[in-house]
RNA sequence: GACGUAAUAACUCAGUGGUAGAGUAUUGGUCUCAUAAUCCAAAUGUCGGGGGUUCAAAUCCCCCUUACGUCACCA
């Protein structure tokens, strides 16, 4: 167990816009908490992610904005990377798929599979915009649905009647780029085939590993209905060109195929940066690979990735667990980067820089673990004011103030404790065990509930023992000693959930990381703490209304 | 349509066979160390509906209703 290594991955965000609270709540925060928890327990872990920078959507965005795709990805990659850092997502590396290292690796995998005759070749007809000279993905064509006559149907599906359409079905198709009728052009692409036996093998493997039901059912369904071949090359001029194969040298690798290799190339990059051969991790039986993804990504991680990587090199490991989250909505509405709908992180940082931990907290509390969840500014206010200030911040402040008032700011020494003190400390310990359990079960919502509950226990203890009422100095010291024991635990755990708050706590207690011995805070002899400072900021109704306007 | 997920107090959710739980909101009280925060107490539910298994069901099985999600070129 001790030699276990961990690779934690967070799904690569697509660089057609800034990341939003859905990315944080669904992917980056759960991965971050898990990683921080492992680090707190001295596990050997690397936490990897990066930007997904190819694909039709970026190309389309660049055409619409009259910029080059490179401008688009550079802009958003920089922005996303910065925002993740501000939100203290504890990534070891945030890479990008447009980087040489990634391209090289993706092509290496691609060529090897090609040589093994792993792909099949097939002619298809596809819509082509003769003015822009590009092939058009299905959703860039609209026209009249042949079934219900709806005039805004996409070429693959009609939103109104739900009919699945095939190329050529749509009446009067037009390209949304040029508003002109596209032509149907013959093209030849490579496809990947999925063998049922292998999917069955994956299914049984995942079952043994106790995978999420969601994934198991999903795969089970694929086994039942079969999984169609899937194109892995594309006729667009943005992506990784397949230079070495003459027949396909003008085509690019389909983005899904290379994006899921991004975790590995990100690790290669990290190895260069730190001069440690992290790539070993990917081929070691002692490594647990844990993917954190949104529900839109299940098929790529649970089926496609294993097939691709195992056929490239069978020594690569398969996921040990895939944590899938649902989607976070805002006021009941779906978030959409391409429609610019959502609360974007860059904007949040700009307007509410003091509330990073409050947002982290809210997003963990509202994490869409087994069903879509809903973010509202009222919840944000409630979590900030009633829980972070009222319970946690308040508990911290009470003790700091009492130490100053009663003990001139000096930390009390160890004291003999009685039955009730023990009872309270036991209760706290139970909560710690529960937090462990919940984090290891990927239930971060419950974990943070138990975290805040520790402050509740502490507040209760203070009220019950009321040291401010008493003159007996020894009694006061004992109460504050026990309270500090509880506080120390809260502070250690805040490293996982609330990184900014963690640092503020340490500062006020006048200590730093060097005061951590075996993961526990140990105060120096005759230690004096600093004066209390405001940690969380109150949100008034007025302020909340202003926030609402800004993010409308 | 297929597949899946859910339905528990006013709200947000815990609770995988043994007398219905927490937080918020409400009402009453308490404290004054604390960012009017804390703490105590009260009240609130035939656990979506119907059937079945069982000594015992929110929990297991079947049917129905309702809501939501996915359904392959979308990254």
């Amino acid at each position: 167990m001790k030699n276990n290594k961990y690779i934690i991955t967070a799904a690569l965000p697509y660089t057609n816009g800034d990341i939003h609270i859905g990315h944080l709540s669904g992917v980056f925060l759960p991965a971050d908490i898990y990683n921080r928890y492992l680090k707190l327990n001295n596990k050997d872990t690397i936490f990897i992610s990066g930007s997904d920078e190819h694909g039709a959507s970026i190309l389309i965005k660049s055409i619409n904005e009259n910029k080059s795709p490179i401008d688009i990805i550079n802009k958003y990659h920089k922005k996303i990377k910065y925002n993740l850092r501000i939100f203290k997502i504890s990534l070891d590396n945030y890479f990008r798929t447009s980087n040489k290292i990634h391209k090289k690796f993706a092509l290496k995998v691609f060529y090897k599979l090609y040589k093994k005759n792993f792909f099949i070749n097939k002619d298809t007809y596809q819509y082509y915009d003769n003015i822009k000279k590009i092939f058009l993905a299905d959703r860039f064509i609209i026209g009249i649905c042949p079934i219900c006559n709806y005039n805004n149907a996409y070429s693959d599906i009609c939103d109104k009647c739900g009919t699945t359409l095939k190329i050529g079905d749509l009446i009067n198709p037009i390209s949304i780029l040029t508003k002109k009728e596209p032509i149907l052009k013959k093209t030849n692409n490579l496809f990947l085939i999925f063998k049922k036996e292998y999917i069955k093998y994956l299914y049984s493997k995942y079952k043994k590993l106790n995978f999420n039901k969601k994934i198991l059912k999903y795969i089970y369904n694929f086994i039942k209905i079969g999984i169609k071949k899937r194109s892995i090359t594309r006729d667009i001029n943005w992506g990784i060109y397949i230079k070495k194969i003459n027949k396909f040298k003008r085509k690019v690798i389909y983005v899904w195929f290379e994006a899921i290799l991004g975790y590995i190339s990100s690790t290669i990059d990290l190895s260069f940066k730190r001069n440690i051969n992290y790539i070993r991790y990917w081929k070691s039986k002692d490594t647990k690979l844990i993917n954190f993804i949104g529900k839109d990504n299940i098929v790529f991680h649970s089926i496609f990735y294993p097939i691709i990587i195992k056929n490239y090199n069978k020594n690569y490991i398969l996921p040990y667990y895939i944590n899938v989250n649902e989607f976070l909505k805002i006021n009941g509405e779906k978030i959409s980067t391409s429609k610019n709908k959502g609360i974007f992180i860059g904007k949040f940082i700009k307007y509410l820089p003091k509330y990073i931990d409050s947002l982290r907290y809210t997003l963990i509390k509202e994490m869409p673990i087994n069903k879509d969840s809903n973010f509202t500014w009222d919840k944000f206010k409630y979590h900030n004011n009633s829980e972070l200030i009222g319970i946690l911040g308040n508990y911290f402040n009470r003790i700091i103030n009492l130490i100053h008032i009663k003990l001139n700011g000096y930390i009390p020494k160890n004291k003999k404790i009685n039955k009730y003190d023990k009872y309270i400390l036991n209760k706290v310990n139970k909560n710690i065990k529960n937090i462990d359990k919940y984090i290891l079960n990927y239930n971060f919502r419950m974990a943070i509930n138990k975290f805040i509950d520790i402050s509740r226990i502490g507040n209760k203890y203070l009220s019950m023992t009321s040291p401010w009422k008493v003159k007996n100095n020894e009694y006061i010291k004992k109460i504050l000693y026990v309270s500090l024991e509880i506080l120390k635990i809260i502070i250690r755990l805040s490293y996982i959930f609330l990184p900014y708050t963690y640092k503020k706590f340490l500062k006020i207690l006048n200590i730093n990381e060097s005061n951590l011995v075996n993961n526990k805070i140990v105060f120096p002899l005759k230690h004096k703490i600093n004066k209390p400072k405001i940690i969380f900021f109150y949100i008034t109704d007025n302020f909340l209304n202003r926030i609402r306007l800004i993010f409308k």
Side-chain angles (χ1 to χ4, degrees):
Chain A
M1 275 297 275
K2 268 190 180 169
N3 296 324
N4 269 344
K5 296 190 274 287
Y6 290 84
I7 299 172
I8 311 296
T9 74
L12 311 184
Y14 196 60
T15 32
N16 63 342
D18 191 8
I19 47 166
H20 49 65
I21 57 173
H23 289 108
L24 288 183
S25 192
V27 174
F28 286 104
L29 281 172
D32 182 51
I33 293 167
Y34 200 84
N35 186 53
R36 284 172 173 274
Y37 174 81
L38 293 177
K39 276 169 94 174
L40 200 63
N41 289 290
N42 295 316
K43 300 284 183 193
D44 185 356
T45 137
I46 48 171
F47 179 16
I48 296 292
S49 189
S51 298
D52 178 4
E53 307 191 320
H54 297 131
S57 295
I58 283 163
L59 187 62
I60 300 297
K61 192 173 172 92
S62 76
I63 292 167
N64 286 342
E65 292 191 3
N66 211 7
K67 285 179 187 158
S68 75
I70 293 170
D71 289 342
I72 301 280
I73 62 166
N74 283 346
K75 178 181 166 188
Y76 289 116
H77 171 74
K78 202 173 152 193
K79 203 167 184 172
I80 293 170
K81 192 174 176 180
Y82 174 79
N83 291 343
L84 289 170
R85 208 178 71 223
I86 296 296
F87 263 79
K88 296 280 178 202
I89 305 301
S90 53
L91 286 159
D92 287 287
N93 202 29
Y94 188 77
F95 201 44
R96 55 193 310 192
T97 60
S98 61
N99 186 290
K100 269 187 206 160
I101 294 172
H102 174 76
K103 288 185 181 174
K104 198 174 151 192
F105 179 66
L107 282 168
K108 203 172 158 193
V109 174
F110 190 91
Y111 291 143
K112 182 153 182 191
L113 265 59
Y114 181 78
K115 272 186 196 153
K116 283 174 87 177
N117 283 324
F118 202 69
F119 308 141
I120 63 155
N121 217 315
K122 206 178 169 248
D123 283 338
T124 53
Y125 282 89
Q126 217 179 321
Y127 287 114
Y128 184 80
D129 190 313
N130 222 353
I131 299 161
K132 293 273 182 188
K133 300 286 176 209
I134 56 169
F135 279 96
L136 297 156
D138 289 3
R139 61 185 172 127
F140 300 113
I141 311 280
I142 52 170
I144 300 167
C145 170
I147 310 295
C148 71
N149 282 329
Y150 177 58
N151 61 6
N152 248 329
Y154 292 115
S155 73
D156 58 337
I157 191 163
C158 170
D159 273 348
K160 197 161 189 188
C161 66
T163 312
T164 328
L165 304 170
K166 275 183 265 168
I167 296 270
D169 284 354
L170 210 60
I171 302 164
N172 293 338
I174 55 162
S175 157
I176 62 166
L177 297 181
T178 55
K179 312 286 177 215
K180 293 275 160 39
E181 187 172 346
I183 57 168
L184 275 176
K185 198 171 170 181
K186 191 170 148 184
T187 178
N188 179 279
N189 276 303
L190 291 173
F191 288 78
L192 189 59
I193 293 192
F194 301 93
K195 290 197 181 118
K196 226 176 206 177
E197 303 82 69
Y198 193 71
I199 302 177
K200 275 184 185 164
Y201 159 77
L202 285 175
Y203 181 78
S204 64
K205 193 174 167 73
Y206 292 161
K207 212 169 177 183
K208 268 184 219 149
L209 285 168
N210 220 350
F211 264 43
N212 193 315
K213 252 196 204 163
K214 233 177 295 173
I215 296 180
L216 291 177
K217 296 241 160 132
Y218 193 88
I219 299 176
Y220 185 75
N221 203 27
F222 271 125
I223 295 171
K224 251 182 15 195
I225 60 174
I227 181 163
K228 276 189 198 162
K229 63 181 181 303
R230 200 141 174 153
S231 168
I232 48 161
T233 57
R234 264 206 139 179
D235 296 285
I236 59 173
N237 44 20
W238 178 242
I240 300 176
Y241 282 94
I242 307 158
K243 286 172 273 183
K244 281 193 191 163
I245 304 171
N246 240 337
K247 201 174 161 191
F248 298 102
K249 68 181 180 191
R250 300 204 157 186
K251 296 176 193 273
V252 298
I253 302 180
Y254 209 115
V255 61
W256 68 260
F257 183 98
E258 43 110 344
I260 49 178
L261 299 170
Y263 303 129
I264 297 173
S265 48
S266 186
T267 312
I268 298 171
D269 180 57
L270 179 66
S271 293
F272 289 137
K273 283 177 185 160
R274 290 203 190 148
N275 208 13
I276 293 174
N277 188 7
Y278 285 110
I279 205 70
R280 273 200 329 245
Y281 284 44
W282 285 91
K283 297 173 187 169
S284 159
K285 278 180 188 159
D286 301 328
T287 305
K288 290 182 175 172
L289 169 62
I290 303 175
N291 298 131
F292 287 84
I293 62 171
K295 62 180 166 186
D296 51 337
N297 247 324
I298 294 176
V299 72
F300 300 106
H301 289 76
S302 67
I303 300 177
F304 297 175
Y305 168 75
I307 288 175
I308 292 167
I309 206 67
K310 281 289 184 189
N311 278 287
Y312 168 66
N313 179 337
K314 65 177 190 321
N315 293 327
Y316 274 88
I317 51 166
L318 295 185
Y320 175 77
Y321 191 79
I322 301 176
N323 185 67
V324 183
N325 272 334
E326 305 278 319
F327 291 149
L328 180 77
K329 294 179 175 178
I330 299 173
N331 297 320
E333 285 188 64
K334 238 181 162 173
I335 301 174
S336 163
T337 307
S338 56
K339 288 175 189 156
N340 201 23
K341 258 174 125 174
I343 295 166
F344 293 91
I345 302 309
K347 199 167 177 184
F348 186 92
I349 291 171
K350 185 178 168 194
Y351 288 100
L352 299 165
K354 287 184 191 165
Y355 293 88
I356 307 275
D357 272 357
S358 302
L359 185 64
R360 271 183 72 111
Y361 183 82
T362 305
L363 294 178
I364 298 165
K365 288 281 291 200
E366 305 297 334
M367 196 175 281
I369 288 177
N370 41 34
K371 56 181 171 187
D372 286 356
S373 64
N374 196 21
F375 176 93
T376 65
W377 287 111
D378 280 322
K379 282 181 183 170
F380 177 69
K381 178 190 159 201
Y382 163 71
H383 290 309
N384 183 74
N385 290 358
S386 300
E387 295 185 328
L388 291 178
I389 296 177
I391 311 289
L392 173 62
N394 185 33
Y395 181 58
F396 183 82
N397 259 2
R398 295 175 87 180
I399 293 167
I400 300 304
N401 273 301
L402 282 169
I403 290 175
H404 277 288
I405 293 164
K406 299 287 187 185
L407 309 175
N408 288 321
Y410 286 97
I411 294 295
K413 284 184 200 146
N414 291 15
K415 294 283 159 193
K416 234 189 183 163
I417 57 172
N418 69 19
K419 222 175 164 184
Y420 180 65
D421 304 327
K422 273 185 192 157
Y423 164 77
I424 288 291
L425 289 174
N426 273 339
K427 241 178 142 175
V428 171
N429 277 323
K430 237 183 211 167
N431 270 46
I432 299 172
K433 277 185 189 146
N434 274 326
I435 292 171
D436 287 346
K437 188 186 89 191
Y438 283 124
I439 290 180
L440 291 173
N441 284 314
Y442 311 93
N443 193 340
F444 306 107
R445 248 176 122 138
M446 286 304 286
I448 206 164
N449 275 338
K450 294 295 165 194
F451 166 70
I452 209 78
D453 276 352
I454 297 177
S455 300
R456 286 202 166 94
I457 296 168
N459 274 322
K460 182 173 182 159
Y461 176 75
L462 269 191
S463 294
M464 296 303 276
T465 53
S466 310
W468 49 86
K469 274 185 186 167
V470 183
K471 290 253 164 80
N472 180 344
N473 218 19
E474 281 308 300
Y475 178 81
I476 292 167
K477 280 181 179 169
K478 187 203 71 175
I479 301 302
L480 289 177
Y481 164 72
V482 173
S483 296
L484 263 173
E485 287 302 302
I486 299 170
L487 199 60
K488 279 158 133 180
I489 290 161
I490 293 171
I491 291 169
R492 280 315 276 151
L493 290 168
S494 66
Y495 168 80
I496 300 176
F497 301 109
L498 307 167
Y500 281 98
T501 307
Y502 170 67
K503 291 221 162 136
K504 286 183 189 169
F505 281 159
L506 291 187
K507 205 168 175 189
I508 294 168
L509 284 178
N510 193 19
I511 53 175
N512 55 47
E513 301 271 342
S514 70
N515 297 92
L516 301 174
V517 181
N518 288 331
N519 240 335
K520 282 192 178 144
I521 294 169
V522 178
F523 291 110
L525 284 175
K526 287 195 180 172
H527 183 65
K528 194 172 182 183
I529 59 169
N530 290 321
K531 291 273 177 195
K533 245 185 172 175
I534 290 216
I535 293 170
F536 302 107
F537 301 89
Y538 198 80
I539 297 170
T540 60
D541 283 339
N542 259 338
F543 186 46
L544 194 71
N545 284 334
R546 265 189 299 169
I547 295 173
R548 279 208 188 91
L549 279 178
I550 290 167
F551 288 94
K552 216 171 181 178

